[in-house]
């Protein structure tokens, strides 16, 4: 990539640029294949029968074999894990949204004693690896009788979403001009009214970005789900999937495992397709600059 | 602007419930890690025995700790090189070249970030599979058959084989961060550089990199944490630290001590050690990469 530049100067701009553009394109396309192909392969494999898979793991499926999905969803209990995950993730995302929006709004736009200190507390959370507090959290949940409950899991997910969410939303709320909130107050809006009726809706882009990031990590989390839930019927999807691989290692029926992988990917693919513009815009909106 | 009495209670109502939750479930466990590390404490029994720094003394003599530290540093070193090189290259190309299909590449490259590391780990386990994995199939096709290995089962290749999925997952994220920062660089700077006869590489080193330096530093600190923290899931799912601990990480070893051996004192001591390493690396990096901030 770096060696062809002097070449351009000597050989004249047009040919050099065309050649280097071509090379760059080849690299970009090659990398696209490296990213897309394994995912496509997983999807194809989920439609194959076991015999097909063993005959050739890399051929296209001969037909669409839906039994893998039925097996995964029912026999391997992926359906149960899926619904568990949906409930846990939905509550976490909404709860985080309310908590981090109110917090970030106050921190970004109000002057009061201790403001900087509270901001520092949240920001330092960004620099702490999640696994560090796992033993004390486990003990805390035990003593609060919240081990093996979704309540406990949801609280932990929410609290661990706060540093990043508050961080992004503070910079977001700072960009909203003062005139807007001032005008609302002159019109007789209370502080609560100003926030919920004006500031909250107007920050839609920031709130969606934050929620997508929280969705991504909570939907995909393995560590907390594995550690804080022990009852098989309460497990979240990533944990259930890993359990499935462990049992399949001895039965070698990969079909339902691939179906499980597709099931866990599908919501993320849909969300990405719907919101990818917003996601990039939110990241671009100066959020990581500070 | 005059603010009525409700002002103070509004701040309190918005701030305090969240802050209390955060203090109880985030800050308190974090601090308690340091406290527990000074005790001998097995299982959920009540008797914690204060033993001062004995856990740390044991830690420094534990050969697995050194192995794990080395593996974490391996992730950090090779992960940095691969991920930063690729993401910098991709983001530069995306910011400077005006290909029609650039948006497509951006969407595709970021996509692995949407996936669970569980999915990424399992997919790569299949790619490396010795009997039907595509890597060996492709190598055979290219006539490289004699270099084929049991990538994840061989102590000499397992760490390298684990860095690749890590990079596969995160290149797109750092690419997007750098790309976002590059968007803020005014086009005139490049125009005048071109008039002065500076080529693309020259522009990259004298305009782009200095102007996104702050973003790169922040990104790097996040990557340090990532290399020590998020690698847990990957290793836990793909190799469980094996074969024979050759891919053991500090985090997987911590987890094993805590939840398999119920040795909470030792596990938290590993946590403290991990935190100190992270802190020192981040501190050194931030101190030695400080450059004057450019205004543009």
């Amino acid at each position: 990539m770096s060696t062809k530049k002097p070449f351009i100067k000597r050989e004249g701009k047009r040919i050099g640029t065309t050649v280097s553009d071509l090379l760059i394109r080849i690299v970009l396309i090659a990398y696209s294949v490296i990213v897309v192909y394994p995912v496509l392969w997983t999807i194809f494999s989920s439609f194959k029968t076991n015999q097909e898979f063993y005959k050739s793991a890399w051929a296209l499926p001969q037909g669409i074999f839906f039994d893998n999905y039925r097996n995964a969803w029912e026999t391997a209990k992926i359906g149960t894990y899926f619904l568990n995950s949906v409930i846990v993730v939905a509550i976490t995302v909404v709860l985080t949204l309310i908590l981090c929006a109110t917090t970030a709004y106050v921190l970004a736009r109000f002057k009061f004693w201790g403001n900087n200190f509270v901001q520092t507390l949240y920001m330092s959370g960004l620099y702490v690896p999640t696994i560090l507090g796992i033993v004390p959290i486990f003990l805390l949940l035990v003593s609060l009788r919240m081990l093996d409950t979704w309540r406990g899991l949801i609280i932990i997910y929410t609290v661990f979403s706060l540093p990043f969410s508050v961080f992004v939303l503070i910079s977001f709320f700072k960009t909203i001009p003062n005139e807007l909130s001032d005008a609302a107050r002159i019109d007789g809006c209370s502080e609560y009214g100003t926030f919920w009726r004006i500031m909250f809706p107007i920050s839609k882009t920031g709130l969606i970005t934050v929620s997508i990031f929280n969705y991504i990590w909570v939907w995909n989390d393995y560590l907390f789900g594995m550690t804080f839930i022990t009852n098989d019927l309460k497990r979240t999807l990533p944990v259930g999937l890993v359990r499935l691989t462990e049992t399949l290692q001895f039965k070698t029926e990969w079909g339902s495992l691939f179906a499980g992988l597709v099931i866990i990917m599908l919501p993320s693919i849909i969300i990405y397709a719907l919101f990818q513009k917003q996601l990039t815009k939110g990241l671009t909106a100066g959020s990581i600059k500070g | 602007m005059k603010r009525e009495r409700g002002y103070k209670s509004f701040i309190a109502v918005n701030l305090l419930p969240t802050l209390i939750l955060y203090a109880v479930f985030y800050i308190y466990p974090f601090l308690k890690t340091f406290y527990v590390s000074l005790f001998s404490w097995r299982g959920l029994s009540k008797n914690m025995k204060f033993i001062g720094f004995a856990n740390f003394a044991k830690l420094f003599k534990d050969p697995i700790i050194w192995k794990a530290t080395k593996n974490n540093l391996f992730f950090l070193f090779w992960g940095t090189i691969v991920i930063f090189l690729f993401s910098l290259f991709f983001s530069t190309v995306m910011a400077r070249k005006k290909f029609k299909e650039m948006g497509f590449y951006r969407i595709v490259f970021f996509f692995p970030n949407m996936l669970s590391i569980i999915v990424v780990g399992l997919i790569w386990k299949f790619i490396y599979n010795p009997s039907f994995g595509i890597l060996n199939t492709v190598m055979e096709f290219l006539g490289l058959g004699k270099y084929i290995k049991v990538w994840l089962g061989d102590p000499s290749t397992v760490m390298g084989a684990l860095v690749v999925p890590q990079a596969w997952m995160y290149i797109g994220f750092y690419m997007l961060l750098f790309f976002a920062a590059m968007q803020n660089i005014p086009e005139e700077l490049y125009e005048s550089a071109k008039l002065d006869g500076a080529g693309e590489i020259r522009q990259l080193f004298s305009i782009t990199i200095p102007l996104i330096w702050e973003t790169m530093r922040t990104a790097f600190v996040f990557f340090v944490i990532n290399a020590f923290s998020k690698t847990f899931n990957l290793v836990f799912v793909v190799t469980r630290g094996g074969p024979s601990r050759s891919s053991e990480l500090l985090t997987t070893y911590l987890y094993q001590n805590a939840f398999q051996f119920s040795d909470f004192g030792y596990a938290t001591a590993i946590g403290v050690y991990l935190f100190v390493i992270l802190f020192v690396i981040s501190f050194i990096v931030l101190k030695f990469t400080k450059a004057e901030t450019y205004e543009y």
Side-chain angles (χ1 to χ4, degrees):
Chain A
M1 313 148 209
S2 51
T3 47
K4 60 207 176 248
K5 288 303 140 179
F7 172 74
I8 288 180
K9 266 192 226 153
R10 258 178 261 127
E11 303 275 296
K13 222 153 206 139
R14 217 182 274 147
I15 299 166
T17 312
T18 324
V19 170
S20 77
D21 277 7
L22 187 70
L23 286 175
I24 289 173
R25 269 208 170 101
I26 289 172
V27 174
L28 290 171
I29 290 168
Y31 194 70
S32 305
V33 172
I34 292 174
V35 169
V36 172
Y37 183 72
V39 177
L40 280 183
W41 177 76
T42 310
I43 296 172
F44 287 144
S45 302
S46 74
F47 292 116
K48 285 169 142 183
T49 63
N50 220 27
Q51 292 93 312
E52 262 181 283
F53 186 80
Y54 274 101
K55 221 170 96 197
S56 165
W58 304 97
L60 286 173
Q62 281 156 9
I64 292 186
F65 183 67
F66 257 115
D67 278 10
N68 290 332
Y69 284 88
R70 198 172 307 125
N71 283 340
W73 192 263
E74 282 159 17
T75 321
K77 289 190 291 211
I78 293 292
T80 312
Y81 303 139
F82 185 88
L83 295 178
N84 295 349
S85 267
V86 167
I87 293 167
V88 170
V89 173
I91 297 176
T92 302
V93 168
V94 172
L95 191 63
T96 309
L97 189 62
I98 294 167
L99 295 184
C100 73
T102 49
T103 297
Y105 176 64
V106 168
L107 290 175
R109 304 184 67 94
F110 289 75
K111 283 200 186 84
F112 57 91
W113 184 85
N115 185 323
N116 279 332
F117 177 69
V118 175
Q119 284 199 38
T120 313
L121 273 186
Y122 283 117
M123 291 319 106
S124 359
L126 286 172
Y127 297 96
V128 177
T130 36
I131 200 171
L132 200 67
I134 195 139
V135 171
I137 294 172
F138 180 80
L139 299 169
L140 185 64
L141 289 179
V142 171
S143 60
L144 293 173
R145 297 183 185 287
M146 284 207 265
L147 192 73
D148 211 15
T149 64
W150 286 346
R151 253 180 316 143
L153 191 62
I154 288 168
I155 290 177
I156 299 301
Y157 279 145
T158 304
V159 166
F160 274 79
S161 306
L162 285 174
F164 178 76
S165 312
V166 170
F167 173 66
V168 172
L169 284 183
I170 284 180
S171 54
F172 204 87
F173 280 124
K174 277 191 179 151
T175 60
I176 300 173
N178 276 329
E179 288 79 36
L180 219 63
S181 47
D182 287 349
R185 282 198 202 94
I186 291 165
D187 285 351
C189 257
S190 67
E191 297 289 356
Y192 296 96
T194 311
F195 175 66
W196 288 109
R197 270 188 253 132
I198 300 183
M199 301 308 253
F200 192 79
I202 217 172
S203 324
K204 216 174 65 192
T205 319
L207 297 171
I208 291 177
T209 309
V210 162
S211 296
I212 295 171
F213 273 104
N214 290 334
Y215 157 83
I216 296 175
W217 95 263
V218 179
W219 180 259
N220 294 331
D221 171 74
Y222 177 61
L223 176 64
F224 289 155
M226 162 181 66
T227 313
F228 302 141
I229 299 289
T230 45
N231 181 335
D232 186 43
L233 290 175
K234 287 187 194 164
R235 279 182 213 284
T236 51
L237 189 48
V239 187
L241 260 180
V242 173
R243 300 256 307 169
L244 180 61
T245 35
E246 279 156 11
T247 41
L248 281 178
Q249 254 162 16
F250 307 103
K251 283 202 297 187
T252 59
E253 276 176 26
W254 301 112
S256 43
L257 175 64
F258 289 115
L261 289 175
V262 174
I263 291 171
I264 196 177
M265 281 196 285
L266 202 60
S268 304
I269 294 177
I270 293 170
I271 286 178
Y272 192 51
L274 290 176
F275 292 107
Q276 76 57 38
K277 274 225 179 74
Q278 211 124 23
L279 200 73
T280 26
K281 224 198 298 168
L283 260 184
T284 331
S287 53
I288 311 292
K289 257 190 117 185
Chain B
M1 170 123 227
K2 187 182 149 277
R3 282 173 167 173
E4 64 272 44
R5 266 182 303 150
Y7 175 72
K8 268 191 181 158
S9 81
F10 177 75
I11 293 177
V13 166
N14 276 341
L15 207 60
L16 287 182
T18 317
L19 195 57
I20 291 169
L21 270 182
Y22 185 66
V24 172
F25 290 96
Y26 201 110
I27 300 172
Y28 164 75
F30 170 69
L31 296 176
K32 201 176 172 194
T33 300
F34 291 84
Y35 176 75
V36 176
S37 72
L38 302 174
F39 288 84
S40 161
W41 188 12
R42 288 194 163 269
L44 287 169
S45 67
K46 283 266 172 343
N47 40 9
M48 285 169 75
K49 205 175 105 219
F50 182 79
I51 51 166
F53 291 98
N55 281 326
F56 294 94
K58 180 181 162 195
L59 190 145
F60 287 115
K61 276 183 237 139
D62 187 343
I64 302 169
I65 290 284
W66 295 113
K67 181 82 208 164
T69 309
K70 230 177 74 195
N71 284 340
N72 271 115
L73 293 175
F74 186 96
F75 259 124
L76 179 63
F77 182 77
W78 289 108
T80 307
I81 289 186
V82 176
I83 294 176
F84 277 64
L85 268 183
F86 273 90
S87 56
L88 202 59
F89 171 70
F90 289 144
S91 54
T92 311
V93 167
M94 278 174 194
R96 304 296 307 143
K97 295 276 172 193
K98 308 278 175 257
F99 297 162
K100 275 190 302 267
E101 74 279 18
M102 219 47 120
F104 166 81
Y105 298 131
R106 200 163 63 232
I107 293 170
V108 168
F109 293 1
F110 184 80
F111 175 71
N113 280 280
M114 298 297 294
L115 301 178
S116 172
I117 200 134
I118 304 303
V119 177
V120 175
L122 291 177
I123 289 181
W124 280 85
K125 227 174 152 171
F126 281 110
I127 291 177
Y128 288 129
N129 189 298
S131 56
F132 56 77
I134 189 161
L135 181 64
N136 287 356
T137 317
V138 168
M139 284 180 74
E140 216 146 317
F141 180 76
L142 294 175
L144 299 167
K146 60 181 171 194
Y147 298 109
I148 283 178
K149 288 211 166 98
V150 187
W151 303 102
L152 293 170
D154 186 332
S156 65
T157 54
V158 64
M159 284 305 294
L162 284 166
V163 168
V164 177
Q166 158 96 347
W168 187 81
M169 188 155 179
Y170 291 111
I171 284 172
F173 180 78
Y174 291 97
M175 172 200 81
L176 207 56
L177 279 191
F178 297 154
F179 176 72
M182 288 175 192
Q183 300 271 287
N184 295 326
I185 304 174
E187 187 61 37
E188 300 90 66
L189 288 178
Y190 293 106
E191 295 297 337
S192 50
K194 253 180 237 159
L195 288 179
D196 293 345
E200 293 280 343
I201 297 294
R202 196 50 211 289
Q203 293 174 30
L204 174 67
F205 283 102
S206 47
I207 301 177
T208 312
I209 291 184
L211 290 181
I212 65 161
W213 191 245
E214 278 308 303
T215 308
M216 285 179 69
R217 287 174 74 211
T218 320
F220 184 72
V221 172
F222 279 112
F223 183 73
V224 174
I225 296 156
N226 186 312
F228 277 84
S229 161
K230 289 196 180 147
T231 44
F232 169 85
N233 297 291
L234 184 66
V235 169
F236 202 81
V237 170
V238 178
T239 64
R240 293 249 162 181
S244 58
R245 294 202 189 270
S246 51
S247 62
E248 195 77 73
L249 301 178
L250 289 171
T251 44
T252 50
Y253 193 46
L254 183 163
Y255 198 86
Q256 192 182 33
N257 273 290
F259 297 105
Q260 230 167 297
F261 307 150
S262 300
D263 192 345
F264 290 145
Y266 195 51
T268 46
I270 299 173
V272 172
Y273 168 72
L274 175 77
F275 182 73
V276 171
I277 295 185
L278 272 180
F279 194 83
V280 170
I281 294 179
S282 307
F283 183 80
I284 293 175
V285 166
L286 286 181
K287 200 163 161 62
F288 286 97
T289 57
K290 211 170 176 82
E292 39 185 311
T293 331
Y294 296 85
E295 292 293 331
Y296 52 91

